[in-house]
Amino acid sequence: MRVKVLSRNPDDYVRETKLDLQRVPRNYDPALHPFEVPREYTRALNATKLERVFAKPFLSSLDGHRDGVNCMAKHPKSLSTVLSGACDGEVKIWNLTRRQCIRTIQAHEGFVRGMCARFCGTSFFTVGDDKTVKQWKMESPEYGEEEEPIHTILGKTVYTGIDHHWKEAVFATCGHQVDIWDEQRTTPMCSLTWGFDSISSVKFNPIETYLLGSCASDRNIVLYDMRKSTPLKKVILNMRTNTLCWNPMEAFVFTAANEDYNLYTFDMRFLESPVMVHMDHVSAVLDVDYSPTGKEFVSASFDKSVRIFPVDKGHSREVYHTKRMQHVITVKWTSDNKYILCGSDEMNIRLWKANASEKLGVLAPREKAAMNYNQKLKEKFQYHPQIRRIAQHRHLPKSIFCQIKEQRIMREARRRKELNRRKHSKPGSMPFVSERKKHIVAVVK
């Protein structure tokens, strides 16, 4: 057995005479420092505090609509162009760099239910309460020309949504059923139906472009393959799904916005349980849109707030709200991953920063290096209680704050009731059901 003995040689630290300099042991490695971790912790704490100080996400409001904004669409080629449709049948095209409306069209009688741009960006489609599908030029008409659609298709029922194929001259509409249309024809190429309820939303997959997903009011999420004339499979949830959005980076993943205040991220190959349940909203989630990186998505809710969720986390990293903003009906994440647009009941489109504390404009090299260094420090100390508390704190409107508290009490009561039932039941008669499987009723193939 070897024993290590501490040896302190006085020659290493004692001065020979009073006039000698005090000997200090020193490590000459510049990367190491006796107070390296405390120093970095202080820097991380200051960086986290400054991030909250500079978190001013609201940029501007695009006003001009005379009724609530019901739907929006992004231009596939131009970052600065956005289209919006209102509840009075009016469509506006906006220039985001100038923050101005550059064109207004009276497209429909009644609501504009849905709109989408063609993949090449030369035209866009709208559907409305007047049972029509209209195709419009993206460019303004010449001087003296009248504002008229290129094509108009008269349908038999009201269309509630529309989406264009990402590569071909094909688009899909939904209403009583899902119809696949060729742009050159006035009758659908094929009609897909599974059940007899109204369908609220239809979306093409951006990667596997022949796949579609739709949400019906009988609580179904149905997946279709355009190459077949029959649906693939459907999943039935406890409550109705309002819309869904496909992940632009992972072909099989989509996120559904539900009436039960949650969002569900599914892998379409395994619909038995969602990959993740995102819980933070306190009212029905009305719209969802992915960031171009596929790592995050933004959701719009009836509770008058917009939230940003990481795909792999159950809670939001950011919540946006203003005093004047009412029920948020539609939301879009711009294609450069920098901004978020949301349209709400009180006729405004609001422009937000995707990263609340990000500095806009050109950054000097030293600024960029300092930001990267601070970001790494925040990641290193993110689980420290003090830093975590500051980073996670968000000011919420009183209505949302009170509802969150109320829902927490209800959740606790349900959990307590379940524990008491299990305690007084026969062992094994009440199986544990995970949070992910609670909300799924059935999967039909």
Side-chain angles (χ1 to χ4, degrees):
M1 181 175 141
R2 295 176 68 187
V3 178
K4 281 195 175 181
V5 180
L6 287 174
S7 71
R8 293 177 183 274
N9 187 357
D11 294 342
D12 292 339
Y13 54 88
V14 174
R15 292 179 293 176
E16 289 180 3
T17 67
K18 285 184 180 179
L19 300 174
D20 277 351
L21 292 171
Q22 192 81 40
R23 288 187 182 183
V24 179
R26 186 169 171 203
N27 191 332
Y28 287 94
D29 184 355
L32 295 173
H33 189 275
F35 302 117
E36 183 194 14
V37 174
R39 179 190 283 179
E40 283 192 343
Y41 169 73
T42 307
R43 285 177 183 169
L45 188 65
N46 290 339
T48 309
K49 286 176 180 175
L50 283 172
E51 183 190 41
R52 298 316 314 145
V53 167
F54 292 120
K56 292 181 171 58
F58 180 72
L59 292 173
S60 74
S61 166
L62 309 175
D63 49 344
H65 277 293
R66 292 169 299 178
D67 209 335
V69 182
N70 198 48
C71 55
M72 287 196 295
K74 291 183 283 192
H75 193 291
K77 303 288 183 187
S78 165
L79 283 174
S80 60
T81 308
V82 166
L83 304 97
S84 65
C87 298
D88 59 355
E90 198 175 59
V91 169
K92 284 184 180 286
I93 301 175
W94 303 87
N95 186 318
L96 292 181
T97 48
R98 292 186 306 197
R99 298 177 190 176
Q100 286 177 350
C101 173
I102 53 175
R103 189 169 157 216
T104 304
I105 307 163
Q106 188 58 46
H108 296 277
E109 293 171 18
F111 282 39
V112 180
R113 288 289 173 189
M115 61 196 311
C116 66
R118 199 172 187 273
F119 62 91
C120 61
T122 54
S123 62
F124 64 95
F125 295 82
T126 61
V127 292
D129 276 355
D130 52 5
K131 303 181 184 178
T132 58
V133 181
K134 292 182 181 178
Q135 184 181 4
W136 307 84
K137 276 186 183 172
M138 194 67 78
E139 292 172 4
S140 301
E142 298 291 327
Y143 181 74
E145 276 186 41
E146 284 197 22
E147 189 77 83
E148 286 185 344
I150 307 169
H151 299 299
T152 303
I153 299 168
L154 293 170
K156 293 174 185 174
T157 56
V158 173
Y159 296 111
T160 53
I162 186 168
D163 197 32
H164 201 283
H165 195 280
W166 289 77
K167 290 178 181 173
E168 295 170 18
V170 172
F171 64 93
T173 60
C174 63
H176 185 62
Q177 60 194 14
V178 172
D179 294 323
I180 312 290
W181 304 76
D182 191 304
E183 284 182 13
Q184 307 303 320
R185 293 171 60 180
T186 55
T187 53
M189 294 193 299
C190 69
S191 296
L192 305 162
T193 181
W194 195 349
F196 298 97
D197 225 316
S198 63
I199 295 161
S200 57
S201 163
V202 64
K203 292 283 168 74
F204 273 101
N205 191 318
I207 303 167
E208 302 289 345
T209 50
Y210 46 82
L211 286 176
L212 298 102
S214 76
C215 309
S217 56
D218 56 358
R219 303 175 299 154
N220 291 343
I221 300 172
V222 189
L223 302 175
Y224 310 92
D225 190 331
M226 210 170 70
R227 299 168 298 184
K228 298 179 181 179
S229 56
T230 55
L232 289 175
K233 50 182 162 179
K234 69 176 175 181
V235 57
I236 305 167
L237 276 73
N238 277 332
M239 289 184 80
R240 183 164 66 98
T241 301
N242 288 314
T243 186
L244 61 86
C245 186
W246 294 94
N247 190 321
M249 289 293 164
E250 295 182 72
F252 301 109
V253 176
F254 66 89
T255 297
N258 205 275
E259 284 279 325
D260 65 359
Y261 316 166
N262 297 340
L263 294 113
Y264 301 98
T265 298
F266 284 96
D267 186 323
M268 66 169 281
R269 297 165 295 180
F270 315 107
L271 291 175
E272 287 74 23
S273 74
V275 178
M276 185 61 69
V277 181
H278 309 275
M279 311 165 76
D280 258 347
H281 282 294
V282 293
S283 195
V285 188
L286 302 178
D287 200 10
V288 60
D289 192 40
Y290 264 94
S291 72
T293 58
K295 291 181 178 178
E296 294 181 318
F297 60 84
V298 61
S299 63
S301 173
F302 201 75
D303 64 11
K304 308 176 189 176
S305 71
V306 172
R307 286 184 184 265
I308 301 171
F309 290 87
V311 175
D312 55 348
K313 299 274 178 19
H315 293 282
S316 60
R317 73 161 172 87
E318 206 64 76
V319 54
Y320 295 160
H321 53 86
T322 65
K323 282 186 178 178
R324 282 190 59 210
M325 189 158 75
Q326 294 302 307
H327 311 307
V328 190
I329 297 169
T330 177
V331 72
K332 286 280 178 261
W333 198 311
T334 56
S335 302
D336 61 348
N337 198 32
K338 277 193 176 288
Y339 306 103
I340 286 164
L341 288 149
C342 71
S344 53
D345 258 356
E346 86 308 325
M347 304 177 281
N348 279 348
I349 296 167
R350 287 182 173 79
L351 183 65
W352 310 83
K353 286 192 277 189
N355 188 357
S357 58
E358 184 182 15
K359 186 186 172 187
L360 299 179
V362 181
L363 291 176
R366 283 183 67 184
E367 272 184 308
K368 206 176 282 184
M371 278 174 57
N372 292 339
Y373 177 59
N374 285 342
Q375 188 59 38
K376 285 295 173 192
L377 284 178
K378 283 184 283 188
E379 284 174 20
K380 182 176 178 180
F381 292 96
Q382 64 184 325
Y383 298 113
H384 193 281
Q386 189 78 343
I387 287 175
R388 190 177 181 185
R389 183 185 63 79
I390 294 166
Q392 287 186 347
H393 176 75
R394 295 291 180 278
H395 174 73
L396 292 169
K398 191 178 178 184
S399 59
I400 295 178
F401 184 78
C402 292
Q403 280 177 288
I404 287 173
K405 210 153 69 171
E406 193 179 311
Q407 283 183 12
R408 195 182 295 130
I409 293 164
M410 287 161 67
R411 242 192 334 266
E412 281 298 313
R414 277 198 296 269
R415 194 179 66 83
R416 221 166 32 245
K417 186 176 181 180
E418 194 180 327
L419 282 172
N420 287 339
R421 274 189 175 169
R422 190 169 280 115
K423 197 189 291 179
H424 298 290
S425 299
K426 188 180 172 184
S429 63
M430 282 189 71
F432 286 93
V433 182
S434 70
E435 186 63 44
R436 294 182 186 183
K437 292 192 177 179
K438 271 181 193 172
H439 310 278
I440 308 296
V441 176
V443 177
V444 186
K445 294 181 183 179

